[in-house]
Amino acid sequence: MLEQKLDLSIIIPLLNEEESVIELHRQVNSVLKTLGRSYEIICVDDGSTDKTAALLSGLNDPNLVIIRLRRRFGQTAAMSAGLDHAQGEVIIMMDGDLQNDPQDIPRLLDKMQEGYDIVSGWRKNRKDAFISRTLPSRIANWLIGFMTGVKLHDYGCSLKAYHRDVMKDLKLYGEMHRFIPALASWYGANVAEIPVTHHPRQFGKSKYSITRVTRVVLDLLTVKFLLSFITKPLQIFGIFGLSSFSIGTLICLYLSFLKLVLQHQIGNRPLLWLGVLLIIVGIQLIIFGLLAEMLARTYFESQSKKIYAIREVIQK
């Protein structure tokens, strides 16, 4: 059976949002009905332990798709599940706690009409605690922009619109959902950002904890590697490997000169151990780089993946 194509897919991950899920569905459905486009609302229950799943099942809406995960896998995994089932040409993601405003959806779509592949929301007037949420978020946004080269004010805002074409090749792991604009930029996606409304949280408590910062930083290192060195890993391992090997070799040559020419004792010098260590580490890094090169080739060739992305082909 041929897959039905829709204009819009709204993906909403949910975790213990029983107080807000009914109102959320009403608001989203109300906005989408005014657009005159075909749509689906994909609610992904990320292992909720309250009445979220039951309330979703009680909704009578032919445009509603409910995906229930067997346990809590995390926001990125929930979004990935929604992406795998989305049929819309434009995919919009948003949080399920009523802090994102569905009234911003038409504005995202209007901005996308200007030729952008991704339009990201910016919670310009954010309604969260400054010390525990807003300040760490601002630091993270600056760091992500600096590392990836994609400058956004608010990477953490879930309210974003994507063209289907830029999402079909993306695989999400860890906390990668916040890095989608940066990852998509590797494929040449055009990214824009617009201010969106951010409401205070009305029900429940945030699922965000400070421990998440560590995971985000580690994922940022992964994204930086993927963006810069996925097709040429030897260049990053090789630079450090050759540097370490060269410094270690110079140290050992210097100590050899002291021993052979000046007749100095070098066996008890810490510098000798440092030189030997740097040579060994350098050799290991170069070997790691060669292994990574083979793994990269296996990754691309075994799945027939390309190291480039084509926007369009024009024949005249």
Side-chain angles (χ1 to χ4, degrees):
M1 183 176 65
L2 293 176
E3 185 182 77
Q4 181 184 3
K5 293 295 183 182
L6 301 173
D7 294 326
L8 302 174
S9 291
I10 314 299
I11 299 176
I12 310 174
L14 296 166
L15 174 63
N16 296 333
E17 299 289 357
E18 61 181 3
E19 299 95 344
S20 60
V21 66
I22 299 298
E23 177 62 16
L24 173 69
H25 172 264
R26 185 195 68 79
Q27 291 185 18
V28 173
N29 214 20
S30 176
V31 170
L32 294 178
K33 285 181 178 179
T34 66
L35 298 178
R37 305 189 187 188
S38 59
Y39 67 90
E40 62 181 352
I41 303 172
I42 303 177
C43 290
V44 185
D45 177 22
D46 187 24
S48 296
T49 56
D50 61 1
K51 298 179 182 178
T52 298
L55 291 171
L56 282 173
S57 299
L59 293 172
N60 183 21
D61 181 4
N63 298 311
L64 178 63
V65 178
I66 304 170
I67 300 174
R68 294 189 61 192
L69 304 185
R70 291 186 177 273
R71 63 171 177 83
R72 181 180 179 182
F73 286 90
Q75 188 176 9
T76 298
M79 288 182 172
S80 184
L83 284 172
D84 289 340
H85 290 79
Q87 300 177 32
E89 290 302 314
V90 173
I91 297 169
I92 296 175
M93 296 187 188
M94 61 185 299
D95 284 332
D97 55 11
L98 292 177
Q99 289 194 270
N100 293 146
D101 194 331
Q103 295 292 337
D104 287 316
I105 291 176
R107 298 178 57 243
L108 293 174
L109 296 174
D110 289 342
K111 189 67 176 179
M112 188 168 277
Q113 292 297 319
E114 297 178 16
Y116 293 102
D117 301 303
I118 298 176
V119 180
S120 180
W122 170 20
R123 296 167 294 183
K124 191 171 183 179
N125 298 310
R126 188 169 176 177
K127 307 300 182 182
D128 284 323
F130 180 78
I131 298 298
S132 61
R133 297 292 302 276
T134 304
L135 181 59
S137 179
R138 288 181 180 177
I139 295 173
N141 290 326
W142 176 85
L143 184 60
I144 295 170
F146 175 77
M147 293 284 284
T148 64
V150 181
K151 307 293 184 181
L152 294 179
H153 292 90
D154 193 357
Y155 267 92
C157 181
S158 296
L159 184 58
K160 294 181 174 70
Y162 311 89
H163 267 300
R164 183 184 185 90
D165 287 344
V166 302
M167 299 299 293
K168 62 184 180 183
D169 293 322
L170 291 182
K171 300 297 182 184
L172 304 179
Y173 305 93
E175 299 286 336
M176 291 289 192
H177 66 274
R178 70 185 65 249
F179 301 113
I180 292 177
L183 291 169
S185 71
W186 188 90
Y187 294 97
N190 298 318
V191 183
E193 186 178 42
I194 63 171
V196 295
T197 304
H198 190 240
H199 297 293
R201 189 175 181 90
Q202 300 179 43
F203 308 105
K205 61 180 181 179
S206 172
K207 313 304 186 296
Y208 181 91
S209 65
I210 197 65
T211 59
R212 202 175 190 180
V213 174
T214 303
R215 299 196 297 270
V216 170
V217 170
L218 293 175
D219 281 335
L220 177 57
L221 294 176
T222 302
V223 169
K224 178 59 178 176
F225 180 81
L226 292 175
L227 292 178
S228 301
F229 301 106
I230 184 60
T231 61
K232 46 187 177 183
L234 183 58
Q235 292 193 16
I236 182 65
F237 287 106
I239 289 173
F240 289 107
L242 287 174
S243 300
S244 177
F245 182 83
S246 299
I247 295 173
T249 300
L250 290 174
I251 290 174
C252 290
L253 288 174
Y254 167 71
L255 293 175
S256 297
F257 173 78
L258 293 181
K259 174 67 175 178
L260 299 175
V261 178
L262 301 181
Q263 302 298 313
H264 290 182
Q265 293 296 322
I266 62 171
N268 59 349
R269 294 195 179 197
L271 192 61
L272 175 62
W273 295 106
L274 176 62
V276 173
L277 177 63
L278 289 174
I279 289 175
I280 294 173
V281 169
I283 294 173
Q284 288 181 328
L285 286 173
I286 293 172
I287 292 174
F288 287 158
L290 292 171
L291 291 174
E293 286 282 338
M294 289 187 286
L295 288 174
R297 281 156 174 72
T298 301
Y299 170 76
F300 283 101
E301 293 174 11
S302 64
Q303 303 179 67
S304 298
K305 287 183 175 292
K306 306 296 184 183
I307 61 173
Y308 57 84
I310 297 175
R311 182 180 299 275
E312 62 179 343
V313 177
I314 301 174
Q315 292 182 332
K316 295 185 178 180

Coordinates of all heavy atoms in Angstrom, one line a residue, residues 195-258:
P195 N 11.5 34.6 16.8 CA 11.1 34.6 18.2 C 9.7 34.0 18.3 O 8.8 34.1 17.5 CB 11.0 36.1 18.5 CG 11.8 36.8 17.5 CD 11.7 36.0 16.3
V196 N 9.5 33.2 19.4 CA 8.3 32.5 19.6 C 7.8 32.8 21.1 O 8.7 33.1 21.9 CB 8.3 31.0 19.4 CG1 8.6 30.7 17.9 CG2 9.4 30.3 20.2
T197 N 6.6 32.5 21.3 CA 6.0 32.7 22.7 C 6.4 31.6 23.6 O 6.5 30.4 23.1 CB 4.5 32.8 22.6 OG1 4.1 33.8 21.7 CG2 3.9 33.1 24.0
H198 N 6.8 31.9 24.8 CA 7.1 30.9 25.8 C 6.3 31.1 27.0 O 6.4 32.2 27.7 CB 8.6 30.9 26.1 CG 9.1 29.7 26.9 ND1 9.6 29.9 28.2 CD2 9.0 28.4 26.7 CE1 9.9 28.7 28.6 NE2 9.6 27.8 27.7
H199 N 5.4 30.2 27.4 CA 4.5 30.3 28.5 C 5.2 29.7 29.8 O 6.0 28.8 29.7 CB 3.2 29.6 28.3 CG 2.4 30.2 27.1 ND1 1.9 31.5 27.2 CD2 2.1 29.7 25.9 CE1 1.3 31.7 26.0 NE2 1.4 30.7 25.2
P200 N 4.8 30.2 30.9 CA 5.3 29.6 32.2 C 4.7 28.2 32.3 O 3.6 27.9 31.8 CB 4.7 30.5 33.3 CG 4.4 31.8 32.6 CD 4.0 31.4 31.2
R201 N 5.4 27.3 32.9 CA 4.9 25.9 33.0 C 3.7 25.9 34.0 O 3.8 26.5 35.1 CB 6.0 25.0 33.6 CG 5.6 23.5 33.5 CD 6.7 22.6 34.0 NE 6.3 21.2 33.9 CZ 6.4 20.5 32.8 NH1 7.0 20.9 31.7 NH2 6.0 19.2 32.9
Q202 N 2.6 25.3 33.5 CA 1.3 25.3 34.3 C 1.2 24.1 35.2 O 0.7 24.2 36.3 CB 0.1 25.4 33.4 CG 0.1 26.7 32.5 CD -1.1 26.7 31.6 OE1 -2.2 26.4 32.0 NE2 -0.9 27.0 30.3
F203 N 1.6 22.9 34.7 CA 1.4 21.7 35.4 C 2.7 20.9 35.6 O 3.6 21.0 34.7 CB 0.4 20.8 34.7 CG -0.9 21.5 34.3 CD1 -1.1 22.0 33.0 CD2 -1.8 21.8 35.3 CE1 -2.3 22.6 32.7 CE2 -3.0 22.5 35.0 CZ -3.3 22.9 33.7
G204 N 2.7 20.1 36.6 CA 3.9 19.2 36.8 C 5.2 19.9 37.0 O 5.2 21.1 37.4
K205 N 6.3 19.2 36.7 CA 7.6 19.8 36.9 C 8.5 19.4 35.7 O 8.2 18.5 35.0 CB 8.2 19.3 38.2 CG 8.4 17.8 38.2 CD 9.1 17.3 39.6 CE 9.3 15.8 39.6 NZ 9.9 15.4 40.9
S206 N 9.5 20.2 35.5 CA 10.4 20.0 34.4 C 11.1 18.7 34.4 O 11.4 18.2 35.5 CB 11.4 21.1 34.3 OG 12.4 20.9 33.3
K207 N 11.3 18.0 33.3 CA 12.0 16.8 33.2 C 13.5 17.0 33.1 O 14.3 16.1 33.0 CB 11.5 15.9 32.0 CG 10.0 15.8 31.9 CD 9.3 15.3 33.1 CE 7.8 15.1 32.9 NZ 7.1 16.3 32.6
Y208 N 13.9 18.3 33.0 CA 15.3 18.7 32.8 C 16.0 18.6 34.2 O 15.5 19.1 35.2 CB 15.4 20.1 32.3 CG 16.8 20.6 32.0 CD1 17.4 20.4 30.8 CD2 17.5 21.3 33.0 CE1 18.6 20.9 30.5 CE2 18.7 21.7 32.8 CZ 19.3 21.5 31.5 OH 20.6 22.0 31.3
S209 N 17.2 18.1 34.2 CA 18.0 18.1 35.4 C 19.4 18.6 35.0 O 19.8 18.5 33.8 CB 18.1 16.7 36.0 OG 18.7 15.8 35.2
I210 N 20.2 19.0 36.0 CA 21.5 19.6 35.7 C 22.5 18.5 35.1 O 23.4 18.8 34.4 CB 22.1 20.2 37.0 CG1 23.3 21.1 36.6 CG2 22.5 19.2 37.9 CD1 22.9 22.4 35.8
T211 N 22.2 17.2 35.4 CA 23.0 16.1 34.9 C 22.9 16.1 33.4 O 23.8 15.5 32.7 CB 22.6 14.8 35.5 OG1 21.2 14.5 35.2 CG2 22.7 14.8 37.0
R212 N 21.9 16.6 32.8 CA 21.7 16.6 31.4 C 22.8 17.4 30.7 O 23.1 17.2 29.5 CB 20.3 17.2 31.0 CG 19.8 16.8 29.7 CD 18.4 17.3 29.5 NE 17.7 16.8 28.4 CZ 16.4 17.1 28.1 NH1 15.8 17.9 28.8 NH2 15.9 16.5 27.0
V213 N 23.3 18.4 31.4 CA 24.4 19.3 30.8 C 25.6 18.4 30.4 O 26.1 18.6 29.3 CB 24.8 20.3 31.8 CG1 26.0 21.1 31.3 CG2 23.6 21.3 32.1
T214 N 25.9 17.5 31.2 CA 27.1 16.6 30.9 C 26.8 15.8 29.6 O 27.7 15.8 28.7 CB 27.4 15.6 32.0 OG1 27.6 16.4 33.2 CG2 28.6 14.8 31.7
R215 N 25.6 15.3 29.4 CA 25.3 14.5 28.2 C 25.3 15.4 27.0 O 25.7 15.0 25.9 CB 23.9 13.8 28.4 CG 23.9 12.8 29.6 CD 22.7 11.9 29.5 NE 21.4 12.6 29.6 CZ 20.8 12.9 30.7 NH1 21.3 12.5 31.9 NH2 19.6 13.5 30.7
V216 N 24.8 16.6 27.2 CA 24.8 17.6 26.1 C 26.2 17.9 25.6 O 26.5 18.0 24.4 CB 24.0 18.9 26.5 CG1 24.2 19.9 25.4 CG2 22.5 18.6 26.7
V217 N 27.1 18.1 26.6 CA 28.5 18.5 26.2 C 29.1 17.3 25.5 O 29.8 17.5 24.4 CB 29.3 18.8 27.5 CG1 30.8 18.9 27.1 CG2 28.8 20.1 28.1
L218 N 28.9 16.1 25.9 CA 29.5 14.9 25.3 C 28.9 14.8 23.9 O 29.6 14.4 22.9 CB 29.2 13.7 26.1 CG 29.9 13.6 27.4 CD1 29.5 12.4 28.2 CD2 31.4 13.6 27.2
D219 N 27.6 15.0 23.7 CA 27.0 14.9 22.4 C 27.5 16.0 21.5 O 27.6 15.9 20.3 CB 25.4 15.0 22.5 CG 24.8 13.7 22.9 OD1 25.4 12.7 22.7 OD2 23.7 13.7 23.5
L220 N 27.8 17.2 22.1 CA 28.4 18.3 21.3 C 29.7 17.9 20.7 O 30.0 18.2 19.5 CB 28.5 19.5 22.1 CG 29.2 20.8 21.5 CD1 28.4 21.2 20.2 CD2 29.3 21.9 22.4
L221 N 30.5 17.2 21.5 CA 31.8 16.7 20.9 C 31.6 15.7 19.8 O 32.3 15.7 18.8 CB 32.6 16.0 22.0 CG 33.1 16.9 23.2 CD1 33.8 16.1 24.3 CD2 34.0 18.0 22.7
T222 N 30.5 14.9 19.9 CA 30.2 13.9 18.8 C 29.8 14.7 17.6 O 30.2 14.3 16.5 CB 29.1 13.0 19.3 OG1 29.5 12.3 20.5 CG2 28.7 12.0 18.2
V223 N 28.9 15.7 17.8 CA 28.4 16.5 16.6 C 29.6 17.2 15.9 O 29.7 17.2 14.7 CB 27.4 17.5 17.1 CG1 27.1 18.5 16.0 CG2 26.1 16.8 17.5
K224 N 30.5 17.8 16.7 CA 31.7 18.4 16.1 C 32.5 17.5 15.3 O 32.9 17.8 14.2 CB 32.5 19.0 17.2 CG 33.8 19.8 16.7 CD 33.5 20.9 15.8 CE 34.7 21.6 15.3 NZ 34.5 22.7 14.3
F225 N 32.7 16.3 15.8 CA 33.4 15.3 15.1 C 32.7 14.9 13.8 O 33.3 14.8 12.7 CB 33.7 14.0 15.9 CG 34.4 12.9 15.2 CD1 35.8 13.0 15.1 CD2 33.8 11.9 14.6 CE1 36.5 12.0 14.4 CE2 34.5 10.9 13.9 CZ 35.8 10.9 13.9
L226 N 31.4 14.7 13.9 CA 30.6 14.3 12.7 C 30.6 15.4 11.7 O 30.7 15.1 10.5 CB 29.1 14.0 13.1 CG 28.9 12.7 14.0 CD1 27.5 12.6 14.4 CD2 29.4 11.5 13.2
L227 N 30.5 16.6 12.1 CA 30.5 17.7 11.1 C 31.8 18.0 10.4 O 31.9 18.3 9.3 CB 30.0 19.0 11.8 CG 28.6 19.1 12.3 CD1 28.3 20.4 13.0 CD2 27.6 18.9 11.2
S228 N 32.9 17.7 11.2 CA 34.2 18.1 10.7 C 35.1 17.0 10.2 O 35.9 17.1 9.3 CB 35.0 18.9 11.8 OG 34.3 20.0 12.2
F229 N 34.9 15.8 10.7 CA 35.9 14.7 10.5 C 35.3 13.4 10.1 O 36.0 12.4 10.1 CB 36.8 14.6 11.7 CG 37.6 15.8 12.0 CD1 37.2 16.5 13.1 CD2 38.6 16.2 11.2 CE1 37.9 17.7 13.5 CE2 39.3 17.4 11.5 CZ 38.9 18.1 12.7
I230 N 33.9 13.3 9.9 CA 33.3 12.0 9.7 C 33.9 11.3 8.4 O 34.0 10.1 8.4 CB 31.8 12.1 9.6 CG1 31.1 10.7 9.4 CG2 31.4 13.0 8.4 CD1 31.4 9.8 10.6
T231 N 34.3 12.1 7.4 CA 34.8 11.5 6.2 C 36.3 11.5 6.2 O 36.9 11.0 5.2 CB 34.3 12.2 4.9 OG1 34.7 13.6 5.0 CG2 32.8 12.1 4.9
K232 N 36.9 12.1 7.2 CA 38.4 12.2 7.2 C 38.9 12.1 8.7 O 39.6 13.0 9.1 CB 38.9 13.5 6.6 CG 38.0 14.7 7.0 CD 38.4 15.9 6.2 CE 37.5 17.1 6.7 NZ 37.7 18.3 6.0
P233 N 38.6 11.0 9.4 CA 39.0 10.9 10.8 C 40.5 10.9 11.0 O 41.0 11.3 12.1 CB 38.4 9.6 11.2 CG 38.2 8.8 10.0 CD 37.9 9.8 8.9
L234 N 41.3 10.4 10.0 CA 42.7 10.4 10.2 C 43.3 11.8 10.4 O 44.3 12.0 11.0 CB 43.4 9.7 9.0 CG 44.9 9.5 9.1 CD1 45.3 8.7 10.4 CD2 45.5 8.8 7.9
Q235 N 42.6 12.8 9.8 CA 43.2 14.1 9.9 C 43.2 14.6 11.4 O 44.1 15.4 11.8 CB 42.4 15.1 9.0 CG 42.6 14.8 7.6 CD 42.1 15.9 6.7 OE1 41.8 17.0 7.2 NE2 41.9 15.6 5.4
I236 N 42.1 14.3 12.2 CA 42.1 14.7 13.6 C 43.0 13.9 14.4 O 43.8 14.4 15.2 CB 40.7 14.7 14.1 CG1 40.7 15.3 15.6 CG2 40.0 13.4 14.0 CD1 41.1 16.7 15.7
F237 N 43.0 12.5 14.3 CA 43.8 11.6 15.0 C 45.3 11.8 14.6 O 46.2 11.8 15.4 CB 43.4 10.2 14.9 CG 42.2 9.8 15.6 CD1 41.0 9.6 14.9 CD2 42.1 9.7 17.0 CE1 39.8 9.3 15.5 CE2 41.0 9.4 17.6 CZ 39.8 9.2 16.9
G238 N 45.5 12.0 13.3 CA 46.8 12.1 12.8 C 47.5 13.4 13.2 O 48.8 13.4 13.5
I239 N 46.8 14.5 13.3 CA 47.4 15.8 13.8 C 48.0 15.6 15.2 O 49.1 15.9 15.5 CB 46.4 16.9 13.7 CG1 46.1 17.3 12.3 CG2 46.9 18.1 14.5 CD1 45.0 18.3 12.1
F240 N 47.1 15.1 16.1 CA 47.6 14.9 17.5 C 48.6 13.8 17.6 O 49.6 13.9 18.4 CB 46.4 14.5 18.4 CG 45.4 15.7 18.6 CD1 44.2 15.8 18.0 CD2 45.8 16.8 19.4 CE1 43.3 16.8 18.2 CE2 45.0 17.8 19.7 CZ 43.7 17.9 19.0
G241 N 48.5 12.7 16.8 CA 49.4 11.6 16.8 C 50.8 12.1 16.3 O 51.8 11.8 17.0
L242 N 50.9 12.8 15.2 CA 52.1 13.2 14.7 C 52.8 14.3 15.7 O 54.0 14.3 15.8 CB 52.0 13.8 13.3 CG 51.7 12.8 12.2 CD1 51.4 13.6 10.9 CD2 52.9 11.9 12.0
S243 N 52.0 15.1 16.2 CA 52.5 16.1 17.2 C 53.1 15.4 18.4 O 54.2 15.8 18.8 CB 51.4 17.1 17.6 OG 50.8 17.8 16.5
S244 N 52.4 14.5 18.9 CA 52.9 13.7 20.1 C 54.1 13.0 19.8 O 55.1 13.0 20.5 CB 51.8 12.8 20.6 OG 52.3 12.0 21.7
F245 N 54.1 12.3 18.6 CA 55.3 11.5 18.2 C 56.5 12.4 18.0 O 57.6 12.1 18.4 CB 55.0 10.7 16.9 CG 56.1 9.8 16.4 CD1 56.3 8.6 17.0 CD2 57.0 10.3 15.5 CE1 57.3 7.8 16.5 CE2 58.0 9.5 15.0 CZ 58.2 8.2 15.5
S246 N 56.3 13.6 17.4 CA 57.4 14.5 17.1 C 58.0 15.0 18.3 O 59.2 15.1 18.5 CB 56.9 15.6 16.1 OG 56.4 15.1 14.9
I247 N 57.1 15.5 19.2 CA 57.7 16.0 20.5 C 58.4 15.0 21.3 O 59.5 15.2 21.8 CB 56.5 16.6 21.3 CG1 55.9 17.8 20.6 CG2 57.0 17.0 22.7 CD1 54.6 18.3 21.3
G248 N 57.9 13.8 21.3 CA 58.5 12.7 22.0 C 59.9 12.3 21.4 O 60.9 12.1 22.1
T249 N 59.9 12.3 20.1 CA 61.2 12.1 19.4 C 62.2 13.1 19.7 O 63.4 12.8 19.9 CB 60.9 12.0 17.9 OG1 60.0 10.9 17.6 CG2 62.2 11.7 17.1
L250 N 61.8 14.4 19.6 CA 62.8 15.5 20.0 C 63.3 15.3 21.4 O 64.5 15.6 21.6 CB 62.1 16.8 19.8 CG 61.8 17.2 18.3 CD1 61.0 18.5 18.3 CD2 63.0 17.4 17.5
I251 N 62.4 15.0 22.3 CA 62.9 14.8 23.7 C 63.9 13.7 23.8 O 65.0 13.8 24.4 CB 61.7 14.5 24.6 CG1 60.8 15.8 24.8 CG2 62.1 14.1 26.0 CD1 59.5 15.6 25.5
C252 N 63.6 12.6 23.1 CA 64.5 11.4 23.2 C 65.9 11.7 22.4 O 66.9 11.3 22.9 CB 63.9 10.2 22.6 SG 62.5 9.5 23.6
L253 N 65.8 12.5 21.4 CA 67.0 12.9 20.7 C 67.9 13.8 21.6 O 69.1 13.6 21.6 CB 66.7 13.6 19.4 CG 66.2 12.7 18.2 CD1 65.8 13.6 17.0 CD2 67.2 11.7 17.8
Y254 N 67.2 14.7 22.3 CA 67.9 15.6 23.2 C 68.6 14.8 24.3 O 69.8 15.0 24.6 CB 67.0 16.6 23.8 CG 67.5 17.4 25.0 CD1 68.5 18.3 24.8 CD2 67.0 17.1 26.2 CE1 69.0 19.0 25.9 CE2 67.5 17.8 27.3 CZ 68.5 18.7 27.2 OH 69.0 19.4 28.3
L255 N 67.9 13.8 24.9 CA 68.4 13.0 25.9 C 69.6 12.1 25.4 O 70.5 11.8 26.1 CB 67.3 12.2 26.6 CG 66.3 13.0 27.4 CD1 65.2 12.1 27.9 CD2 66.9 13.7 28.6
S256 N 69.4 11.6 24.2 CA 70.5 10.8 23.6 C 71.8 11.6 23.4 O 72.9 11.1 23.6 CB 70.0 10.3 22.2 OG 68.9 9.4 22.4
F257 N 71.6 12.9 23.1 CA 72.8 13.8 22.9 C 73.5 13.9 24.3 O 74.7 13.9 24.4 CB 72.3 15.1 22.4 CG 73.4 16.2 22.4 CD1 74.4 16.1 21.4 CD2 73.5 17.1 23.4 CE1 75.4 17.1 21.4 CE2 74.5 18.1 23.4 CZ 75.4 18.1 22.4
L258 N 72.6 14.1 25.3 CA 73.2 14.3 26.7 C 74.0 13.0 27.1 O 75.0 13.1 27.7 CB 72.1 14.6 27.7 CG 71.4 15.9 27.6 CD1 70.4 16.1 28.7 CD2 72.4 17.1 27.6

